[in-house]
Amino acid sequence: MEPLSLPLEQGVNFRDLGGYQTKDGQRIKKNKVIRSGSLGNLSPNDLAFLDDYGLRYDVDFRSSTEQKDAPDRLPNGVNYYFTPVFPEDETKSSAKDRRKKIFMSDPEAGFKNMIRAYKDIVLQASAKKAYREFFDVLLANDKDKEAVLFHCSAGKDRTGMGAVYLLSVLGVDEKTIRNDYLASNKFLAPWTERELSKRKLPLEHQEVFLSNLKALGSVRESYLNTALTVMQREYGSLEGYLKHELYLTKQQVKDLKQIYLEKL
């Protein structure tokens, strides 16, 4: 199935994970879990929409700098959780600004940056803590008609891995999980083009610089494969990572399925 996009005026990459089927013949409930990009520019209509949608929990994976620059706008009554995956954003603007000279000379710099970031998503203590707290919030979201939203800035990398973890735990097949991960490229395309058009690109090495920006602003199977390979090498499998590093118990997995799945 196609990802379920939410029709927000100022929201980027907002999607309900409801509707995905599991390998044992169930499906994820709608209006229970949302993945998205930044909430910093939401309009009053967007806030009213999310309130009506049942949003009650907000998990923010961004760094403290990102949070300060664009604080989340939320409906009244939403529980906010600040759970930074990285102390600073390794996947986007901060890394790009620091390495601008490299990005003008090395056509693979953006790609290499993302590969490093996806290794860190698995290995850094801050990332493990953030995703464990994410699952704690998911487990608390046990009332009907209430939803949890998790996000970063663009909703593609830190958020993308959160979705990979959750969909895997719920028993969604690998093809669907990969398609959901890669769908960020489609949903972010108009926003990415607008952002690039605003930038004053260097006259020299413009093609190399633009290529690196695109590597930072997109998702690729190679990025996800990097994270999965690290999990396989260090922890035996994604399931082993969730069990031994994020401390998900069999009972918690059972509870998550009870909360988020329904019969077809």
Side-chain angles (χ1 to χ4, degrees):
M1 61 165 280
E2 287 295 311
L4 181 58
S5 177
L6 299 185
L8 300 186
E9 294 175 344
Q10 299 295 329
V12 176
N13 206 8
F14 274 70
R15 292 183 260 152
D16 189 325
L17 293 181
Y20 286 137
Q21 294 187 19
T22 64
K23 290 176 283 189
D24 64 355
Q26 299 186 83
R27 69 182 169 200
I28 300 176
K29 299 173 184 175
K30 294 181 181 179
N31 290 72
K32 285 298 293 179
V33 59
I34 304 164
R35 55 171 296 176
S36 80
S38 174
L39 281 68
N41 297 313
L42 296 185
S43 70
N45 287 338
D46 292 336
L47 297 180
F49 176 88
L50 291 172
D51 190 30
D52 291 342
Y53 211 76
L55 179 61
R56 295 297 177 266
Y57 301 87
D58 170 29
V59 179
D60 186 351
F61 288 142
R62 298 175 303 164
S63 68
S64 57
T65 300
E66 294 171 286
Q67 181 201 42
K68 182 179 179 181
D69 289 345
D72 283 1
R73 300 197 67 206
L74 293 166
N76 293 330
V78 175
N79 297 289
Y80 175 76
Y81 299 87
F82 178 57
T83 58
V85 171
F86 300 128
E88 60 178 315
D89 182 6
E90 297 191 16
T91 63
K92 212 165 169 52
S93 59
S94 59
K96 177 187 61 193
D97 292 340
R98 289 197 310 271
R99 301 175 180 135
K100 189 172 182 179
K101 290 183 179 179
I102 299 175
F103 285 2
M104 288 191 290
S105 60
D106 180 1
E108 293 295 312
F111 173 79
K112 292 173 185 175
N113 186 85
M114 295 302 294
I115 293 298
R116 285 193 297 270
Y118 271 77
K119 290 177 181 177
D120 286 344
I121 278 177
V122 177
L123 296 173
Q124 277 200 9
S126 59
K128 295 174 185 178
K129 181 176 183 290
Y131 290 119
R132 176 60 246 191
E133 291 174 358
F134 168 50
F135 276 109
D136 289 338
V137 176
L138 289 168
L139 287 161
N141 181 38
D142 59 357
K143 295 183 176 63
D144 290 340
K145 299 181 180 179
E146 293 191 359
V148 56
L149 179 150
F150 61 103
H151 78 96
C152 51
S153 289
K156 65 183 183 70
D157 302 304
R158 292 162 289 183
T159 300
M161 287 306 300
V164 168
Y165 295 153
L166 175 57
L167 295 176
S168 298
V169 167
L170 296 179
V172 176
D173 67 274
E174 183 178 350
K175 181 179 179 181
T176 300
I177 292 172
R178 285 182 177 272
N179 286 343
D180 179 77
Y181 170 80
L182 292 170
S184 283
N185 288 334
K186 170 187 173 183
F187 290 108
L188 288 171
W191 177 79
T192 301
E193 289 301 317
R194 287 196 301 270
E195 290 300 305
L196 288 176
S197 69
K198 296 176 186 177
R199 293 190 173 273
K200 186 176 181 180
L201 298 177
L203 295 178
E204 290 186 276
H205 314 296
Q206 188 172 116
E207 186 175 342
V208 172
F209 191 71
L210 186 59
S211 175
N212 283 321
L213 290 186
K214 288 181 177 179
L216 292 176
S218 63
V219 290
R220 301 180 184 180
E221 289 222 46
S222 54
Y223 300 165
L224 176 56
N225 289 341
T226 294
L228 296 175
T229 297
V230 172
M231 287 182 224
Q232 180 72 35
R233 184 185 70 232
E234 300 292 333
Y235 312 105
S237 64
L238 185 154
E239 291 74 19
Y241 181 77
L242 294 171
K243 178 179 179 181
H244 298 296
E245 297 302 308
L246 301 191
Y247 305 108
L248 271 183
T249 66
K250 289 183 179 179
Q251 183 60 50
Q252 288 171 338
V253 170
K254 183 178 179 181
D255 291 343
L256 287 165
K257 291 181 176 180
Q258 179 67 35
I259 293 169
Y260 292 98
L261 298 182
E262 62 185 4
K263 294 181 179 179
L264 290 172

